Amino acid sequence: MNQQIGTDEAEKIIREYADMIFRIALHNVKNAADAEDIFQEVCIALITKNPPVENKEYLRRWLIRVTINKCNSFHRLFWQKNTESIEEHTELESPHQKEVMEELWQLPKNDRNIIYLYYYESYTIAEIAEILKKNPNTVSSVLQRARKKLRKILLEGGYNNA
Amino acid sequence: MLKNMYTEIVDSIRLSDRAVEKALKAVRTTEKGDMIMVKRNKLKYTGMIAASLAVVIAGGTAAGQLLQCNQTQKMDSTAASQADSHNSFVLMVNAAELTDEPMVVNCAEETTADNRAAFGMNEVRGISLSEGDENNGYTVGYNSSMPITCKGEHIRYVTYSVDVGAISVSYYKGENPLIDGTETNRCDSTPESGVPLKPAYQKLEKELVQKIPKDAEGEVSWSQEDQKKLEQLDKVFENTENKHYASITIDCSDPRLAYTSISLVGSSVELNAEDRNYLGTHRDDLFGFKGEAGMTEEKACLDKLINGQIVHCTVTFDDGTKQTQDIKVGTAIATYAEALRNSNMMTDEKIAAYENNKDVFMTFSLA
């Protein structure tokens, strides 16, 4: 049985992974307020589920998986709409960046998660398959398709990060 | 290149320190089997634990207000399992952030199921006043939105009642959403129509608002064509029913609530000339006092009008059991920056000019 995570240690872990959890949640629920709620739930899960924390990479993947699971079980009813803009929680410098983010959000949720884990967290296809509990071939084909869409949004859409 | 571009965008997304601290606070106070989780915008409790949240609301009545219930999401924890085994509900106020400290809830650009507060043209503080004259003893009554939403599992219906003042309900004729209601004539003010406009008329209203010159003072001079459009809008409100109730019961899933206005009104109170002056009903501009002098006195006057109003909320669940929670109406002093950040009635220049000015705003808190 794992040793109970102490408050200080939990705090350290939460601070270290706060941005990562929030980014994944935001990619999924597309709403900053809900993403914050999910972040809080993941924090609570950390101390109630008590995962092993000695292996940093294991912990990181555990947090990613729990965050995605929380997002998947997050039920937004049809009349709940985005009521807060991403501007409240980002330092996106240009309106174009915001537009790009909003276009990225139009991609299927699964694609968004795979894009994020591949391009931002630099996981391999095999690692992503393990994290998301999917067949590596599935991840590979989704990534190929998602790359095309990402290229269209970022390159053909005229995004200029110069 | 694709990776760099994407990474640059995602890099800029950061969780605020405030949100981190809030989560840490929840973690520190969490104990297995007995959990209170303060979420953004809501306080959840099992019905056995009550907490006090003071909420400062800036809400008006121009676009109408709604009461609605939504199903809550499940939490994945031992305490959540325990909480879910009881019927429970959550009281929310708009979609703005709530903490256990008084806060101003942002006014939304448009009213939606979760954002109830919207400002009318002249009442920026969430409160409108009806002022009498020498013929009726210089009485003043208040009217304010009640932007409360109720979320929970297995809710059949919700009853709101007041012992002081009334709940003002306004709906389109033939679209009354109330399951039950006890009318009252406690308030001598005339029930006003404040129904949310339906989409076609929202578009029309927006079009007309955009035509108002930014530096307009006093009455705007409309073209004949626009005058006809204004008359069209006026006719909308003629097709409504408006009543005062001591108690109302609603089924939160009723879609007619989307176009129903629910507000709080107070009985008229006689105020002397000095107090009436503090109320700022003789303001020269939309943004309140010239300076903060008199603000404490105005708060005291508004508190007189509100007269300790409590909203009793009773939730009836599918199994017939009930739970209650009282909501206290009050006032607090806050800045316009907090209140008007998302207002669609004010230009950015005006917000910039007044954002640090303080004023007295409506508050709600769990009693």
Side-chain angles (χ1 to χ4, degrees), chain A residues 106-119:
Chain A
Q106 303 308 315
L107 298 174
K109 190 164 63 171
N110 207 31
D111 291 16
R112 296 198 297 268
N113 283 329
I114 290 174
I115 285 173
Y116 175 81
L117 291 173
Y118 186 81
Y119 283 111

Side-chain angles (χ1 to χ4, degrees), chain A residues 11 14-15 19 22-23 26-27 33 36-37 39-41 43-44 47-49 70 74 77 79-80 83-84 88-92 97 100-101 104 115-116 119-120 122 151 154-155 159 161, chain B residues 1-3 5-15 18-24 26-28 30 32 35 37-40 42 68-71 73 76 95 112-115 151 341:
Chain A
E11 186 167 330
I14 287 166
R15 288 192 191 280
D19 286 341
F22 181 67
R23 284 166 184 150
L26 195 59
H27 268 68
E36 275 191 26
D37 282 348
F39 167 71
Q40 195 168 327
E41 290 190 23
C43 293
I44 299 290
I47 61 165
T48 55
K49 300 293 186 187
K70 294 288 180 198
F74 178 73
L77 300 171
W79 61 76
Q80 285 176 309
T83 56
E84 191 171 317
E88 308 280 327
H89 298 268
T90 71
E91 297 156 13
L92 291 168
Q97 279 186 324
V100 167
M101 203 64 224
L104 281 168
I115 285 173
Y116 175 81
Y119 283 111
Y120 196 77
S122 299
R151 187 180 308 278
L154 290 177
L155 293 175
Y159 174 67
N161 61 342
Chain B
M1 186 180 176
L2 208 60
K3 177 182 161 93
M5 290 162 78
Y6 175 74
T7 301
E8 185 184 279
I9 293 173
V10 176
D11 263 342
S12 63
I13 298 173
R14 294 200 179 277
L15 185 60
R18 171 200 46 74
V20 174
E21 292 307 323
K22 181 186 270 195
L24 288 172
V27 164
R28 285 180 205 121
T30 293
K32 283 188 183 179
M35 184 171 76
M37 191 158 125
V38 179
K39 284 190 170 185
R40 187 178 179 82
K42 54 198 172 196
Q68 204 171 70
C69 309
N70 292 308
Q71 296 299 316
Q73 68 209 59
D76 180 19
T112 65
D114 287 326
N115 265 322
K151 292 195 176 189
R341 202 159 64 204

Side-chain angles (χ1 to χ4, degrees), chain B residues 35 102 110 147 168 276 286 302 339 341:
Chain B
M35 184 171 76
E110 294 175 0
S168 179
R276 288 201 311 280
L286 294 173
L302 289 171
R341 202 159 64 204

Side-chain angles (χ1 to χ4, degrees), chain A residues 6 21-22 24 29 43 47 77 79 82 90 96 128 135 153:
Chain A
I21 296 166
F22 181 67
I24 294 171
V29 297
C43 293
I47 61 165
L77 300 171
W79 61 76
N82 289 344
T90 71
H96 202 123
I128 294 172
N135 185 308
I153 291 168

